[in-house]
Amino acid sequence: MTVWDDLVGQIRVQEQLAAAAKDADALVTAVSDGKPLDQGSKMTHAWLFTGPPGSGRSTAARAFAAALQCTSPDRALGGVPGCGFCDGCHTSLIGTHADVQIIRTDLLSIGVKETRDLVRRAQLSPAVGRWQVIVMEDADRLTEGAGNVLLKAVEEPAPRTVWMLCAPSFEDVLPTIRSRCRHLTLSTPPVEAVADVLIRRDGVDPERAHSAARATQGHIGRARRLATDERARARRAAVLKVPLRVADVGGCLKAAQELIDTATEDAKQMAEEVDVKETEDLKAALGGVAGGRMPRGTAGAMKELEDKQKRRKTRTQRDSLDLALTELTGFYRDVLALQLGSRIAIANVDVQDSLDRIAESSTPAQTLRRIESVIACRDAMDRNVAPLLAVEAMTMALRAG
């Protein structure tokens, strides 16, 4: 299995990256042999991967990073780097390669301090691999100050350093940075392709795999979670009942509170899994004794960790709410398709009765206003409006239609 096999439905992007990896391999060989560089090389020092959620932006970046570090002997015979079996490919894909840094954040943003650390690392020569590769999976979360710090590194890169930035859209990255990157756009994978991956690689029952792929409209990560996690299926079923529960004000407020409670529970569960271990590890590193007082001068480090955990909890809650709002948008999209007699495939066929009921009792104009209210709720939370107020306003708007 090559590193490119995880790129679902992205044939054009795969071809471009494979060609660039082959040129990169030739470039390294030419430098080591003292030969002149090929000026027409498809390889460059900075890449920007964009595409809708679930399209596989970070997967493409990781696969490319692995191909750049590939040490397969087949390369000397004209083979394309990215065998998937050599040590370079394997360690890059699982995140243990010394020269491949994967940056993802579970916080609301990536700040200046973290970015400066990355820039310093980018100036180093590869330790064991062929390239120094930095994959930033959430480049859209860079603060303005962090973006300006990154710009300097992208403008004047080290000879063997490659930056790979991932963002939902071209506009989510500072113009000064994106103008210095080679841009690759990924598309939403076909439902059939996602279902095939779930069946072949995850051993999911074919019927469940197709149902999950259809319900998530080609979002690979969400489809895998929906097909393999009973809790995720139960949470989705509860969200899709919201349109039938907003017949009165009391139902609106109760539905809003339950959405918030579910998101809060998700954040609490993650905190229980991660925060305790992080705190214990830090206390041990600072010389603390179990059950005893911490050494003097360590309060600042403990406070910094607490702040980080608080920001992560906020991010987890917002991500959970955002997923619920995405599912509501998909529900009303299906309602609108039924009302307009569209031939597009219905995503939420498992709640067909609910779709028919809402479609018959409302007009297309009301459905559009409801979709707009969901989008407005997402925008409000982006502006740091209190989540409960934003969701309550949305459920009241869903009732009004």
Side-chain angles (χ1 to χ4, degrees), residues 271-288 294 301-307 309 312:
E272 290 175 349
E273 295 172 354
V274 180
D275 290 3
V276 173
K277 185 177 185 305
E278 275 187 349
T279 302
E280 290 177 350
D281 289 346
L282 181 59
K283 285 182 176 179
L286 296 175
M294 292 294 295
M302 295 301 300
K303 180 66 166 58
E304 184 178 350
L305 177 61
E306 290 173 3
D307 291 342
Q309 291 172 343
R312 180 168 59 205

Side-chain angles (χ1 to χ4, degrees), residues 3 62-72 85-103 121 125-135 160:
V3 299
R62 283 170 175 260
F64 188 33
L68 292 179
Q69 305 291 11
C70 182
T71 57
S72 169
F85 296 101
C86 70
D87 185 65
C89 287
H90 178 68
T91 54
S92 297
L93 291 176
I94 66 175
T96 59
H97 196 290
D99 295 315
V100 178
Q101 182 82 355
I102 308 294
I103 307 301
R121 177 185 175 118
S125 297
V128 296
R130 301 163 68 80
W131 297 88
Q132 178 79 251
V133 182
I134 299 177
V135 178
R160 297 272 286 277

Side-chain angles (χ1 to χ4, degrees), residues 143-219:
T143 64
E144 184 176 354
N148 291 330
V149 171
L150 179 62
L151 174 61
K152 184 70 173 177
V154 175
E155 279 183 326
E156 301 175 4
R160 297 272 286 277
T161 295
V162 181
W163 288 89
M164 301 183 191
L165 311 180
C166 305
S169 71
F170 194 59
E171 289 71 25
D172 286 320
V173 180
L174 287 175
T176 49
I177 292 178
R178 68 193 189 213
S179 64
R180 290 164 174 80
C181 298
R182 184 164 299 171
H183 183 209
L184 292 180
T185 304
L186 285 77
S187 58
T188 300
V191 169
E192 287 300 321
V194 175
D196 180 62
V197 168
L198 296 178
I199 295 169
R200 287 190 296 106
R201 298 183 194 170
D202 298 285
V204 177
D205 174 75
E207 183 178 351
R208 177 169 290 178
H210 282 88
S211 175
R214 185 170 53 247
T216 57
Q217 289 294 283
H219 190 300

Side-chain angles (χ1 to χ4, degrees), residues 32-76:
S32 61
D33 293 344
K35 297 178 181 178
L37 302 180
D38 179 7
Q39 296 302 316
S41 173
K42 298 180 177 64
M43 181 60 185
T44 189
H45 70 284
W47 298 77
L48 175 58
F49 297 83
T50 65
S55 58
R57 302 184 301 262
S58 60
T59 301
R62 283 170 175 260
F64 188 33
L68 292 179
Q69 305 291 11
C70 182
T71 57
S72 169
D74 293 342
R75 296 176 296 107

